[in-house]
């Protein structure tokens, strides 16, 4: 088996993983003030947050190009690959997953799987890394997909944002939830539900109480089993470091990496957002 892995630029990838010869990444453009950017090519995460703060309107994102995926599959086929796993941002926040399923039958020489990740950002990047590691260890295609299914079913992320308008204007959260939050000064905790849709999980009165509750939720979700917990922030390193300290004080063990929401997810969550995510270790 020669396995190719495809993901999109919403995935947070370690630099070594990004350089893997068997990994291919589809670009998700971000448009700011009429200019199109691709993170990692002509835009860094820090530059994105600077440009977003200086703009009078919110950035806009689009889906990855299906035509680019078709060209990529043709390239992969020509390079002698036999199997492909395409793992992209959640179907709950993008229609890309539904729109590409027909491609599995368009390349008969390739065995193609397009699972729904139900997530994005760092957890998505971690699953991509795990797939590559399993392939290197010569796991079968079926075993890799089975392991991946365990992770997708057990993965989760809980999020706090400073401004719900980013999610509302991007069509990722209902107007009613945003209006309620703004009127009552509620600090909602959001999460990816079982369908990979961002919903309100709980409504908390203050950020301090919401942060405490965020830690409680993660401990509840990971009490059974072996999980990797991670912190993700949108241009809010001080918040992330404070949350890291609170996790350690609360007895959450193991390494807890801190990462940044890139431009694609930062567009919808906004500056100041903070999240705790977890993934089962298989």
């Amino acid at each position: 088996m020669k396995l190719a892995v495809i993901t999109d630029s919403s995935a947070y990838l370690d630099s070594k993983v990004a350089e893997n010869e068997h990994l291919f990444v589809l670009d998700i453009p971000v448009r700011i003030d009429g200019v199109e950017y691709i993170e990692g090519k002509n835009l860094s995460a820090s530059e994105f947050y600077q440009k977003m703060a200086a703009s009078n309107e919110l950035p806009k994102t689009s889906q990855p190009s299906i035509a680019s995926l078709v060209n990529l599959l043709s390239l992969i086929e020509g390079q002698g690959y036999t199997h492909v796993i395409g793992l992209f941002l959640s179907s709950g926040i993008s229609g890309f997953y539904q729109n590409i399923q027909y491609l599995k039958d368009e390349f008969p020489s390739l065995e193609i799987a397009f699972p729904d990740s139900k997530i994005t950002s760092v957890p998505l990047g971690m699953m991509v890394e795990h797939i590559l590691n399993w392939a290197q260890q010569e796991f079968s295609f079926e075993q890799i997909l089975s392991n991946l299914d365990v992770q997708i079913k057990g993965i989760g992320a809980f999020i706090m944002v400073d401004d719900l308008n980013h999610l509302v204007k991007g069509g990722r959260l209902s107007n009613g939830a945003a209006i309620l939050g703004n009127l009552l000064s509620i600090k909602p905790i959001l999460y990816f539900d079982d369908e990979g849709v961002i919903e309100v999980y709980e409504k908390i009165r203050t950020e301090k109480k919401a942060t405490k509750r965020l830690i409680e939720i993660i401990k509840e979700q990971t009490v059974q089993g072996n999980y990797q917990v991670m912190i993700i922030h949108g241009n809010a390193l001080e918040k992330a470091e404070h949350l890291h300290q609170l996790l350690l004080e609360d007895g959450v063990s193991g390494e807890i990496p801190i990462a940044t929401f890139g431009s694609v997810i930062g567009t919808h969550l906004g500056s100041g957002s903070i999240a705790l995510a977890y993934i089962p270790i298989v």
Side-chain angles (χ1 to χ4, degrees):
M1 177 181 72
K2 186 178 181 182
L3 174 67
V5 181
I6 311 174
T7 190
D8 59 57
S9 56
S10 76
Y12 183 97
L13 299 168
D14 177 90
S15 57
K16 288 184 179 180
V17 176
E19 294 169 1
N20 190 297
E21 64 177 328
H22 304 298
L23 175 64
F24 304 84
V25 181
L26 291 176
D27 293 331
I28 300 181
V30 176
R31 184 171 290 273
I32 308 173
D33 292 331
V35 180
E36 189 169 279
Y37 298 94
I38 302 294
E39 188 172 333
K41 294 185 177 179
N42 62 348
L43 184 74
S44 68
S46 59
E47 288 170 341
F48 162 73
Y49 285 104
Q50 291 171 6
K51 290 180 182 296
M52 182 168 65
S55 177
N56 291 323
E57 58 183 36
L58 294 179
K60 296 179 174 63
T61 61
S62 56
Q63 292 184 19
S65 163
I66 293 179
S68 294
L69 178 57
V70 171
N71 291 337
L72 190 52
L73 288 169
S74 296
L75 174 68
I76 286 169
E77 188 177 40
Q79 292 180 352
Y81 285 92
T82 58
H83 295 72
V84 177
I85 295 177
L87 197 64
F88 309 102
L89 74 172
S90 169
S91 67
I93 54 176
S94 170
F96 187 66
Y97 165 78
Q98 286 91 347
N99 293 338
I100 63 174
Q101 295 302 315
Y102 78 95
L103 291 175
K104 291 185 290 187
D105 299 323
E106 298 291 309
F107 296 85
S109 67
L110 294 173
E111 190 164 349
I112 301 173
F114 291 144
D116 186 358
S117 73
K118 307 288 182 73
I119 204 82
T120 185
S121 189
V122 182
L124 176 57
M126 282 193 170
M127 286 193 287
V128 167
E129 181 177 357
H130 293 159
I131 294 168
L132 292 166
N133 288 341
W134 294 328
Q136 187 175 17
Q137 295 170 45
E138 299 186 348
F139 284 29
S140 69
F141 191 61
E142 292 73 21
Q143 185 61 59
I144 290 173
L145 290 177
S146 177
N147 287 357
L148 187 58
D149 184 58
V150 170
Q151 291 199 320
I152 290 171
K153 287 177 178 176
I155 211 164
F158 290 80
I159 312 157
M160 293 191 304
V161 297
D162 274 356
D163 185 358
L164 285 169
N165 287 319
H166 287 260
L167 281 164
V168 175
K169 291 181 179 179
R172 268 60 181 190
L173 190 68
S174 71
N175 277 310
I179 293 170
L180 182 64
N182 290 336
L183 288 179
L184 301 182
S185 300
I186 285 172
K187 192 72 176 179
I189 294 176
L190 313 173
Y191 79 120
F192 283 86
D193 69 10
D194 291 341
E195 301 304 317
V197 176
I198 298 177
E199 299 279 3
V200 176
Y201 185 76
E202 287 183 9
K203 301 183 183 77
I204 313 292
R205 285 290 182 182
T206 67
E207 182 163 333
K208 184 177 180 179
K209 289 180 179 178
T211 301
K212 180 181 178 182
R213 180 63 183 132
L214 195 62
I215 294 171
E216 291 174 352
I217 292 169
I218 293 301
K219 291 180 72 175
E220 291 166 2
Q221 296 292 325
T222 60
V223 68
Q224 293 184 339
N226 190 14
Y227 291 85
Q228 169 71 65
V229 175
M230 64 212 79
I231 300 169
I232 320 167
H233 68 92
N235 197 35
L237 181 58
E238 192 172 322
K239 277 187 186 179
E241 290 175 340
H242 177 62
L243 182 57
H244 187 270
Q245 184 61 35
L246 292 176
L247 285 165
L248 295 178
E249 292 173 358
D250 215 307
V252 177
S253 59
E255 183 184 356
I256 306 170
I258 298 176
T260 305
F261 284 119
S263 57
V264 176
I265 305 306
T267 291
H268 301 297
L269 298 182
S271 187
S273 55
I274 191 89
L276 277 178
Y278 56 90
I279 181 172
I281 298 172
V282 178

